[in-house]
Amino acid sequence: ELDPNYVGSGDVKYHLGAQGTYKHPRYGTEVNVTLAPNPSHLEAVNPVVQGMARARIDELQDRTFSKVLPILVHGDSAIAGLGIVQETLNLARLRGYKTGGTIHIVINNQIGFTTTPEDARSTIYCSDIGKMLQIPILHVNGGDPEAVLTAAAFAIEYRQMFGEDVIIDLMCYRKYGHNETDEPAYTQPLLYKKIKTLPAASEVYRDHLIDEKILTRDEADGIYTEIHQRWENAFAASKEANPKELQPPPKVDMFAPYATGVSADLIRELGEKLSTVPERFTVHPKLADLLKRRGEMVAHDKGIDWGMGEALAFGSLLVEGYPVRITGEDAARGTFSHRHAVLTDFITESELILLDRLRPEQHPFYIYDSPLSEFAVMGFEYGYSVQRPEGLTIWEAQFGDFANGAQTIIDQFISAGEAKWSQTSGLVLLLPHGYEGQGPEHSSARLERFLQLCAEDNMIVANLTTPAQLFHALRRQVKRTFRKPLVVMTPKSMLRAPQAVSKIDDFVHGTFQEVIDDDSVHAEHVRRVLFCAGKVYYDLLAKRAKLGAEDVAIVRLEQMYPFYEARVRQILQRYERAKDVVWVQEEPKNMGAWFFVAPLLSELLLISQTLRYAGRPASASPATGFIAVHNLEQEALLDAAFGQF
């Protein structure tokens, strides 16, 4: 049931999106119109709109790219000054992102808040960024309605004929300042003295029509009266409507189990088809061995690894009729050569996607290597996921560290879109994360930042340890009756760890486990409980075996948010004889999950239990760049986990 007192955070009215239908007054044809919600971070919505458009195009299976039209409205300072504009323009002709051309309308006020053009750009025109695509750029006098109409008509016809972007640079002015409270004469007194003397564009055009005897004065006055009445009616209707920001999201049970398992027969069928290539296709010799091993993993239940577990998740959804889309800078092969979803013929370089050849009636599988962009591409996939909630949409970082290049999308859309605009998304972020001595830019996906953004069940943050867990987490994204973003700290070295495998039964009878208890110990003998997440679990297992520490239980917190309080409490009570509870992490103390989980675990401890930390000391940099130092740090944190305190 909905909480009648919940009103959400909402947003200022000019950020809210809308949907409607425009009906042509003469021909009666209808056009569905969607206005995307947007934050004050100018231009950040550009790739989101493109993603929404591409999702609709794919849904309609419109191979002509002529039925859906993205329109982006820019400011002159914004289009010249913000790099996301270039990133989005660069998507225009790429096969994974093209939308058949976008119409860009620049509201050129010739000033950005208080900044004049000579301080805002190094180019003559604000629209010169469009020259990178060699597309039409129309500079139009905003005070000439007929010229504006002609430019718009040209833009539509050109776009429909050539499938290319068009920019309309609408030269005009800002009459009242940046917003309702601004005083523009503080900084541009001469300009605003001139603006105050200018008649409104509508008045100039009205007088022109009267002089040309196209309208009489009475007819013109009648048009004005009709327009003002329409505005008054719309204003009155808006007062009666329930504002979008006051519509609370439905209450959902974030821990309700969902049936994400599949039959053993389907697993075996997928295993065979994902390891067999046509006779005339020449596989790279190394990949031939990989495909053979993948087939044997399933056929003989030898232990399914991360790459195969992921492929089984994709394949099972595809044959069930769900769309699956994944993009990233190396998504086809996988940065760490674990995926190989797109095979390249060793002789001809033709491509083969086995996930597209499972069954005749399956849904197409969309996988694309993205351009070298985080901001625009993550925004695009967010928009895609909003428009296609029935499918699985994934953005994968080359290294999780680079997701901070898209922090605006994470902060403004992924974490807060539902609270601000009631806009839901099931986007999945796969962010490679783990400390293997690869340096400060190849170790941390900044888990702490995601956790800091978590509240009100706004998203899911996980650091998983088995392929089956990934399988169930991905399938749960689609099987749930609601949509939440999922952020996964994915592995690197663990991709090939012989212990990090799952059995067929884990995919058939299993379900996603937010917390995994230690079933290898006797609870009555346990004197210490280690809580951890991700790769460090396997380091702890090896250390425990080396020490023969059978009185230590290792519990995996697979899903950090939402935090499964009831399950953790149950586990702590099971180990009631354990007085030492330790949170173990690879990240420095000021990073990772420590500051997030510490207060949560502290509240659940038994009166006899004490919580402590084992991990790297606080650091300005996410990780060392020296492998020898890394090894010393890793051994020290393992010693701290098992040592005296």
Side-chain angles (χ1 to χ4, degrees), residues 74 103 137 563:
H74 311 267
I103 293 181
I137 302 174
F563 183 75

Side-chain angles (χ1 to χ4, degrees), residues 134-185:
Q134 297 287 293
I135 56 176
I137 302 174
L138 311 176
H139 305 284
V140 188
N141 178 5
D144 185 345
E146 293 186 2
V148 173
L149 181 62
T150 300
F154 170 86
I156 288 285
E157 290 187 33
Y158 187 94
R159 187 268 181 186
Q160 290 297 86
M161 181 172 290
F162 298 106
E164 293 279 4
D165 289 31
V166 182
I167 298 177
I168 300 174
D169 181 13
L170 196 60
M171 302 293 291
C172 48
Y173 56 87
R174 189 186 65 188
K175 187 171 183 179
Y176 296 113
H178 181 74
N179 58 34
E180 298 86 346
T181 61
D182 189 35
E183 174 46 82

Side-chain angles (χ1 to χ4, degrees), residues 531 563 565 568-569 572 581-583 594-613:
F531 280 88
F563 183 75
E565 180 180 312
V568 174
R569 179 186 286 111
L572 286 170
V581 178
V582 188
W583 173 259
W594 168 244
F595 283 146
F596 180 79
V597 300
L600 297 172
L601 287 172
S602 296
E603 292 180 2
L604 302 177
L605 295 177
L606 304 181
I607 195 167
S608 60
Q609 294 172 333
T610 303
L611 176 67
R612 64 185 179 90
Y613 167 82

